[in-house]
Amino acid sequence: MTTQAARTPQQDRSRATRRRLLEAAVECLAELGWNGSTVAVVAERAGVTRGAAQHHFPTREDLFTAAVEYVTDERLAAVRADTERLPPPGESRTEAVVELIVRLYTGPLFRAALHLWVAAATEQALRERIVALENHLGREAHRAAVEFLGADESHPGARETVQATLDLARGLGLANLLTDDGPRRAGVVRQWARTLDAVLIT
C-alpha cells in the first residue's frame, strides 16, 4: 500500500515533466525554428535536465513529433469544447465553424508544425514521422469539421468541399505568418462559408 501511494506522486511528476517538455518544444519550434530548437534548449525552457528530457524522449525527432501531436490534440479538444457555444444550424453557424477551423491554423502551433514540415523535406528520418503524423492529424481535423458542420458526405461534392475548408485554413495560416492577415481573412471566411452552405444544403 505504501509503495503504491509513493508511486502515484512519482507518476504525477513524470507526467507533469513530460507535459512541460512537450509544451516547451512547441514554443521553441515556433520561436527558434528547427535549427535553433535543440533538446538542451527545450530542456532548459521546461526547467528540467537534458538527461530527464532524453529519458522521456530518446531522440530529438521523438520529442518534436510528440510535441506537435500532443498540442494539436489539446487544441482539437479545446475546439470541440467551443462548439457548445456555436449558433444553431444555418449560415451563422457555418461561418462560425469556418472561423473555428481557421483559428487552428493561425497561431504558435501552426508555426511550430510548419518548421517541422520544412525540416522534414530534407531529413528522411524526420519525414517518415511527419508524414504519418500529418495523416493522423488530417483525419482527425476532417472528422471534426464534418461533425461541426453537420455535413452529409454522401452528397456529391460534400467531402471535397469540407477538405477544401481545411486546405483553405492552412493557406490562410501561411498568409498570416509574416503579417497580420486578419481583415482580409475575415472576408475570405465569410465568402467561403456561403460557398460551403450552398454545397452542403444541395
Side-chain angles (χ1 to χ4, degrees), residues 109-139:
L109 174 60
F110 179 70
R111 189 181 294 269
L114 184 61
H115 283 296
L116 275 186
W117 297 344
V118 172
T122 56
E123 298 196 23
Q124 185 62 36
L126 185 61
R127 183 184 310 168
E128 293 174 3
R129 291 168 176 263
I130 296 306
V131 168
L133 175 61
E134 282 301 310
N135 287 340
H136 164 70
L137 298 179
R139 286 191 299 270

Side-chain angles (χ1 to χ4, degrees), residues 56-98:
H56 287 277
F57 304 100
T59 70
R60 186 184 185 199
E61 290 79 10
D62 288 336
L63 172 60
F64 288 105
T65 53
V68 171
E69 182 172 19
Y70 164 78
V71 177
T72 300
D73 286 344
E74 290 286 298
R75 290 290 302 279
L76 281 171
V79 166
R80 286 185 183 280
D82 285 345
T83 59
E84 296 177 2
R85 295 191 290 273
L86 287 173
E91 290 183 6
S92 59
R93 180 184 177 93
T94 303
E95 185 172 335
V97 169
V98 175

Side-chain angles (χ1 to χ4, degrees), residues 7 10 18 62 65 105 113 132 135 140 146 154 163 173 181 199:
R7 188 180 297 131
Q10 183 177 348
R18 179 183 171 87
D62 288 336
T65 53
Y105 293 92
N135 287 340
E140 290 302 309
V146 169
S154 67
Q163 185 58 47
D181 200 43
V199 172

Side-chain angles (χ1 to χ4, degrees), residues 132-199:
L133 175 61
E134 282 301 310
N135 287 340
H136 164 70
L137 298 179
R139 286 191 299 270
E140 290 302 309
H142 187 97
R143 186 179 296 118
V146 169
E147 177 187 332
F148 301 159
L149 291 165
D152 181 353
E153 292 196 298
S154 67
H155 290 170
R159 178 175 179 78
E160 291 78 7
T161 309
V162 170
Q163 185 58 47
T165 303
L166 297 171
D167 294 340
L168 172 71
R170 188 179 292 112
L172 291 173
L174 284 171
N176 197 60
L177 285 175
L178 297 179
T179 58
D180 180 7
D181 200 43
R184 187 183 73 90
R185 186 167 67 242
V188 171
V189 165
R190 280 193 300 273
Q191 182 56 45
W192 182 252
R194 296 190 191 104
T195 302
L196 194 54
D197 261 331
V199 172

